[in-house]
Amino acid sequence: MSRRYPVSSMRSSIPPVNGSSSDWSAYLLERTPAMIAYVDTAMRYRYASPAYLAWMNVADVDVMGRPVAEVIDPTLCALIEPDIRAALGGTAMVADRAIHNGAGDRHAQATFSPDLDDDGNVRGVAILLADISSRQVLEARLRESERRFAQAFRYAAIGMALVLPDGRWLQVNEALCAMLGYDEQALMRTSFQDVTHPDDLAADLGHVEKLLSGDRLSYQMEKRYLHRDGHVVHVQLSVSLVRDEVGGPLYFISQVQDISERKAFEDALFRERELAEVTLKSIGDAVITTDTQLIVTSLNPIAEAMTGWSSHEAVGRPMDDIFQLRDPLTRRPIPNPLIMAVSKNSIVGLTTDAILVHRNGFDSPIEDSAAPIHDHAGNVVGGVVVFHDVSETRALALKMAHLAHHDTLTGLPNRALLTSRMEFAVTAAARRNQRVALLFVDVDHFKQINDSLGHAAGDSLLQEVARRIRGAVRTDDTVSRLGGDEFVVLLPQIESPGDASTVAEKILAACGQAFGLGLDTSALAISFSIGISVYPDDAEVAESLLRNADTAMYEAKMQGRNGYRFFNPTMNERNTARVRIEVELRKALARNELSLHYQPKVDVELGTIIGAEALLRWQIDGEDVYSPEQFIPVAEDCGLIVPIGEWALREACRQAEAWTRLYRPLSVSVNVSALQFQHTRFFESLRAILAETGLHPTLLELELTERTVMEGGDHIAELLRKIKSLGVALSLDDFGTGYCSLAYLKHFPADILKIDRAFIRDVAWDSDSAAIVIAIVGMGKGMNKQVLAEGVESMEQATFLGSAGCSQMQGFLFGKPMTAREFEERIAVVDMGDPTVAPDQVP
């Protein structure tokens, strides 16, 4: 059915209720606000709605049958005629048109739709207009806004960037490119992560993550970029996130302001303040500063000594409470010279015949001067008074001020001055977004040096250590002695933790050379343990920084000493455990909870047990409270290893003597700690124990590590000779894993070499381990020393060792460590036949 259109634009009256549908269609079309028209193939109007005619600025006349060119403005007709002809040709057209009417230019979107009959032939064109004037206004405003934004973005004085969520640049401006030294194309090939300083990247990414998660809307931070030429650019960064209509992240808007000049100024200001602080603390005059209300803001050490007020007590108090002047004759108060200096904005010269009353009541004649303090604009913001003692007490005050902040033995800053400098360094580092490092340096086994060589030698050693550490660090760094053998190095400004490790290595190298103490002893080889903590990575306050460095130092000792360790939070857990073990170990000594277990040593050629190694255990009801690996290092650190070692030696000798009386002569070997062995009374204690227990000295074997005998110096060699003179045997434990040279071993009076279990474990199948074992056995026999293999757990290992000429063995194959009673039962079984019978097979 073909479409029909009314042929007149004349207004019609309301159709009757029972009127035809065409009547109603005509009625509704004439009253609709839609702008509709119909043009036939001759380009004559067949219909035009009143709204269409009004919008096209056509008088309310009958346009039916009239050509389009006669009805509308010729200029507009020329614009739409091609679209009508295209539609008559069968192609629908849509076009935006500007139309001028009495109200000004209006914009419409015109749709030209071909009207087809049943056979598909075009019989006319339907025209529909939509008023888009408002949209055009909005689009124009948007374009203008975009133009202004583009101009502001491109030519902004600060760096601007649009950044994708993954960090790639979406758009950058000229200021940012110039700031970082890139042209636009080169910078667009990077990401913000590529040009961010590595030490600031984690913090920046943390802020970004909070933006993406919705935890915050924007963030600001100071950070560092890396310029293309490598230098650091300090910036103030402000970032916000733009999201799409459903809340998904589109891009970040970053504003970047170069603050490198400000940072340089702050660094210069910091250096000036630090110089001023060092100067104030070093000069011989007392200095007190106040605000305009004469409230004290600072005292230097001399002022503290002369007034009796510490800085932390005086700051915030009225000047008259701290600085009390009296007339020497009348004892009446003298006006504070700062009053005139601040009120008159002038310098008040030296005042003589004035007495300063110390906090504790005694007098000091002084000379003083006062002056106002100005800000950059010349306004008075405070005052300063400088004074000095003109009596004999001046020298005393100077000495008191120095002693209050320096160590008397080494002349280094003490804990009080170190704390002050740490707090200042942390505050400055927080402001500059930099790092501070603290190195806690401890002399290993210093107590033994004092005990063996005397306190005079110990003091000389500490003075030399102080000199060497001071020479290994920068002039801006602080070296302090906390007390005893503990030193602290403050590095107030580092770029990365690697700088701290470099300083630690320099200290170890400087102190690693032997110390000649000017005594009748050979030079001592001393080792050091260093703990390192870094602000703000490990702590945010000075006190915690020092505590964490101390914890890391103990960790370095636990790891073998003579090295350094950085702090990490897990160390606190281990340190807590160490303290707990120490407390419980002291209780265990009092309760006799320590015991000895004995592991058999056998000679496979003889087929018998020849002795036992005594091993320390801490057990209750047969269960380990702590393993030896846990409590023995703690005992060494806290000094308990000496009484524990003496008890173990006595108990082992007593047990061996009992077995000798009950069964047959059996040797017992006892591990001796380096701390115990180097103790000044070790030889006397050993001789007394042998006499007390009655054990024949040839049945006692002392097991020492290579490090113990290598690091001890000449007095250790003398001690070894004295022990050998008693008839006691000496063995080198864990032989092959240390650094004992053959030349040294040739002169060392060792009787037994114990091959370390690390070589025995793989000896049956690893050619390298086999070659090492064969070499050690051959070397031992060539030097007339016994060789014993420890850690033997299989018959394959035992067979190989026997074929290599090593007949003495120790390990789980022949028995685990056991109680004295179990060992006695083991002796009985083995004496009847098989040395490989396990303890749990004893009847």
Side-chain angles (χ1 to χ4, degrees):
M1 179 177 179
S2 63
R3 300 181 183 178
R4 297 181 181 274
Y5 291 88
V7 294
S8 174
S9 63
M10 300 281 296
R11 297 185 183 277
S12 60
S13 59
I14 299 176
V17 174
N18 59 352
S20 67
S21 61
S22 61
D23 293 336
W24 278 101
S25 296
Y27 175 79
L28 293 175
L29 282 172
E30 289 178 5
R31 286 158 176 79
T32 182
M35 297 180 286
I36 303 171
Y38 186 86
V39 178
D40 62 16
T41 55
M43 293 186 63
R44 296 175 181 272
Y45 278 113
R46 306 306 297 169
Y47 174 78
S49 70
Y52 175 88
L53 294 174
W55 207 89
M56 298 290 285
N57 203 24
V58 176
D60 189 8
V61 296
D62 186 1
V63 299
M64 187 272 292
R66 296 180 61 183
V68 172
E70 293 181 2
V71 176
I72 65 175
D73 180 79
T75 303
L76 180 58
C77 183
L79 291 175
I80 68 173
E81 182 179 348
D83 297 323
I84 295 175
R85 293 191 182 282
L88 289 173
T91 302
M93 301 295 290
V94 178
D96 291 351
R97 295 287 179 252
I99 299 174
H100 181 77
N101 56 24
D105 288 339
R106 304 281 289 172
H107 293 268
Q109 187 177 73
T111 302
F112 303 89
S113 303
D115 179 29
L116 307 178
D117 61 18
D118 293 339
D119 296 327
N121 299 314
V122 178
R123 60 185 180 187
V125 176
I127 303 174
L128 176 64
L129 297 183
D131 189 344
I132 61 171
S133 299
S134 298
R135 191 187 78 185
Q136 288 286 343
V137 172
L138 291 176
E139 289 178 350
R141 290 176 180 173
L142 179 60
R143 287 192 297 272
E144 177 62 19
S145 176
E146 289 176 343
R147 186 189 68 80
R148 288 197 300 267
F149 174 77
Q151 291 290 100
F153 182 92
R154 182 175 183 82
Y155 298 111
I158 65 172
M160 298 284 292
L162 304 183
V163 186
L164 293 171
D166 63 1
R168 291 178 294 118
W169 306 106
L170 180 62
Q171 190 175 348
V172 296
N173 74 343
E174 295 177 357
L176 184 62
C177 293
M179 190 186 303
L180 301 182
Y182 292 84
D183 58 45
E184 184 174 345
Q185 290 183 346
L187 186 57
M188 291 293 290
R189 289 194 293 269
T190 70
S191 66
F192 86 83
Q193 295 95 325
D194 296 332
V195 295
T196 295
H197 193 289
D199 291 343
D200 295 343
L201 184 57
D204 203 358
L205 291 176
H207 290 310
V208 167
E209 185 62 31
K210 290 182 179 180
L211 284 190
L212 292 173
S213 65
D215 290 344
R216 59 191 307 175
L217 299 178
S218 63
Y219 72 87
Q220 294 81 37
M221 69 176 292
E222 288 188 8
K223 65 175 286 188
R224 290 165 290 178
Y225 284 120
L226 296 176
H227 192 276
R228 194 173 191 177
D229 65 12
H231 78 265
V232 173
V233 179
H234 293 267
V235 303
Q236 177 71 41
L237 176 67
S238 299
V239 182
S240 58
L241 176 62
V242 177
R243 299 181 180 272
D244 58 24
E245 61 274 6
V246 296
L250 289 177
Y251 54 84
F252 300 101
I253 300 178
S254 297
Q255 301 179 59
V256 186
Q257 185 173 1
D258 189 341
I259 59 171
S260 298
E261 186 175 344
R262 191 192 84 191
K263 281 293 183 181
F265 175 76
E266 288 178 355
D267 286 344
L269 181 61
F270 169 77
R271 287 192 293 271
E272 289 180 6
R273 289 182 60 183
E274 190 169 31
L275 177 61
E277 183 174 341
V278 171
T279 302
L280 286 175
K281 289 183 176 180
S282 303
I283 64 174
D285 284 347
V287 180
I288 303 177
T289 63
T290 72
D291 61 16
T292 55
Q293 303 302 313
L294 299 191
I295 301 299
V296 174
T297 56
S298 72
L299 286 81
N300 75 342
I302 296 296
E304 289 180 324
M306 292 186 64
T307 63
W309 289 86
S310 64
S311 181
H312 75 273
E313 290 179 305
V315 170
R317 288 177 174 269
M319 180 66 165
D320 288 341
D321 289 354
I322 311 304
F323 190 63
Q324 298 183 13
L325 297 181
R326 297 287 187 272
D327 183 280
L329 299 177
T330 65
R331 302 295 298 174
R332 291 180 179 177
I334 295 176
N336 192 319
L338 267 183
I339 298 175
M340 181 176 294
V342 172
S343 62
K344 301 296 185 181
N345 190 16
S346 62
I347 298 176
V348 178
L350 294 176
T351 300
T352 57
D353 297 330
I355 289 177
L356 173 66
V357 180
H358 190 275
R359 187 181 186 182
N360 294 333
F362 62 83
D363 298 340
S364 300
I366 65 167
E367 291 180 342
D368 64 357
S369 63
I373 299 174
H374 301 98
D375 62 13
H376 66 281
N379 301 313
V380 176
V381 294
V384 57
V385 61
V386 180
F387 55 98
H388 58 265
D389 195 334
V390 294
S391 70
E392 297 178 356
T393 58
R394 174 174 169 77
L396 176 61
L398 289 171
K399 184 176 181 180
M400 289 174 60
H402 183 82
L403 291 178
H405 294 88
H406 291 82
D407 172 52
T408 56
L409 177 64
T410 63
L412 295 176
N414 61 10
R415 181 185 290 269
L417 185 53
L418 172 68
T419 300
S420 174
R421 292 186 180 179
M422 284 194 303
E423 292 172 349
F424 185 77
V426 166
T427 301
R431 186 172 59 249
R432 300 194 309 265
N433 196 26
Q434 292 181 335
R435 283 186 166 93
V436 174
L438 210 64
L439 282 65
F440 201 110
V441 184
D442 186 85
V443 183
D444 294 332
H445 307 312
F446 179 72
K447 185 176 185 298
Q448 281 63 49
I449 297 173
N450 261 348
D451 291 344
S452 59
L453 301 180
H455 289 280
D459 288 348
S460 297
L461 174 64
L462 292 176
Q463 290 171 334
E464 179 62 14
V465 168
R467 187 189 67 79
R468 294 190 187 185
I469 295 177
R470 182 68 264 181
V473 302
R474 303 167 301 188
T475 55
D476 293 340
D477 302 329
T478 295
V479 180
S480 170
R481 180 184 177 220
L482 294 190
D485 60 339
E486 295 176 338
F487 296 84
V488 172
V489 179
L490 170 65
L491 309 180
Q493 184 175 338
I494 62 171
E495 288 296 325
S496 68
D499 295 343
S501 60
T502 299
V503 174
E505 290 167 359
K506 287 182 178 179
I507 292 173
L508 290 174
C511 298
Q513 302 174 12
F515 286 77
L517 303 182
L519 306 171
D520 294 332
T521 61
S522 60
L524 293 178
I526 308 299
S527 64
F528 295 80
S529 298
I530 302 176
I532 305 173
S533 64
V534 178
Y535 167 89
D537 307 52
D538 303 324
E540 295 186 354
V541 296
E543 181 181 353
S544 299
L545 200 65
L546 181 62
R547 184 171 60 251
N548 291 343
D550 187 16
T551 299
M553 182 274 293
Y554 274 106
E555 189 73 13
K557 286 186 178 294
M558 297 287 286
Q559 296 298 320
R561 297 180 169 85
N562 199 31
Y564 63 89
R565 296 274 290 178
F566 280 91
F567 173 81
N568 66 66
T570 59
M571 291 180 181
N572 277 332
E573 299 174 9
R574 291 195 289 270
N575 190 49
T576 301
R578 189 193 69 82
V579 173
R580 183 174 61 251
I581 291 174
E582 178 182 342
V583 172
E584 295 180 7
L585 183 58
R586 294 183 185 277
K587 295 178 182 178
L589 281 175
R591 298 170 182 167
N592 295 318
E593 293 176 358
L594 298 180
S595 62
L596 293 181
H597 282 201
Y598 301 89
Q599 186 172 32
K601 297 180 180 180
V602 304
D603 189 312
V604 294
E605 290 185 357
L606 300 177
T608 186
I609 293 175
I610 57 175
E613 179 180 359
L615 299 167
L616 191 61
R617 293 293 184 267
W618 182 359
Q619 294 181 334
I620 297 178
D621 297 331
E623 297 293 331
D624 284 341
V625 178
Y626 291 102
S627 69
E629 291 77 11
Q630 292 175 305
F631 72 83
I632 289 180
V634 175
E636 290 179 333
D637 282 342
C638 67
L640 290 176
I641 194 64
V642 173
I644 291 175
E646 186 173 322
W647 171 86
L649 183 60
R650 180 180 291 102
E651 178 63 17
C653 290
R654 185 198 62 75
Q655 188 62 69
E657 199 281 329
W659 287 335
T660 299
R661 286 187 287 101
L662 293 173
Y663 301 100
R664 54 184 169 81
L666 291 167
S667 68
V668 62
S669 63
V670 180
N671 290 280
V672 180
S673 163
L675 296 176
Q676 178 189 4
F677 190 69
Q678 294 170 3
H679 194 270
T680 54
R681 290 188 50 79
F682 177 77
F683 180 74
E684 288 75 11
S685 175
L686 171 64
R687 187 165 53 185
I689 288 173
L690 289 172
E692 176 187 336
T693 59
L695 180 69
H696 196 281
T698 58
L699 295 178
L700 176 62
E701 174 187 328
L702 300 182
E703 293 191 12
L704 306 172
T705 63
E706 295 180 17
R707 186 166 188 165
T708 299
V709 301
M710 286 289 286
E711 292 185 346
D714 291 345
H715 71 285
I716 291 296
E718 176 62 24
L719 175 59
L720 293 172
R721 285 190 289 270
K722 291 169 64 177
I723 293 173
K724 284 293 297 177
S725 68
L726 295 177
V728 175
L730 298 172
S731 70
L732 276 181
D733 196 14
D734 301 333
F735 187 77
T737 61
Y739 49 81
C740 189
S741 68
L742 296 181
Y744 193 90
L745 184 62
K746 180 178 179 181
H747 303 287
F748 174 66
D751 302 285
I752 304 162
L753 305 180
K754 294 188 70 172
I755 306 176
D756 186 75
R757 65 183 67 247
F759 302 118
I760 303 303
R761 182 180 61 245
D762 305 327
V763 72
W765 57 273
D766 181 69
S767 59
D768 290 339
S769 296
I772 292 173
V773 170
I774 292 172
I776 293 175
V777 173
M779 178 183 66
K781 288 187 175 181
M783 301 177 71
N784 296 318
K785 300 182 187 298
Q786 298 178 32
V787 181
L788 182 143
E790 58 182 353
V792 181
E793 299 180 356
S794 69
M795 287 301 299
E796 291 80 7
Q797 294 169 339
T799 301
F800 176 86
L801 290 167
S803 65
C806 179
S807 62
Q808 295 187 11
M809 305 179 198
Q810 175 185 347
F812 285 2
L813 179 64
F814 308 103
K816 297 180 180 180
M818 59 194 75
T819 65
R821 180 180 177 81
E822 291 169 336
F823 187 81
E824 292 173 5
E825 296 172 346
R826 179 75 172 144
I827 295 173
V829 172
V830 173
D831 283 354
M832 290 187 295
D834 184 5
T836 64
V837 176
D840 57 4
Q841 295 174 303
V842 176

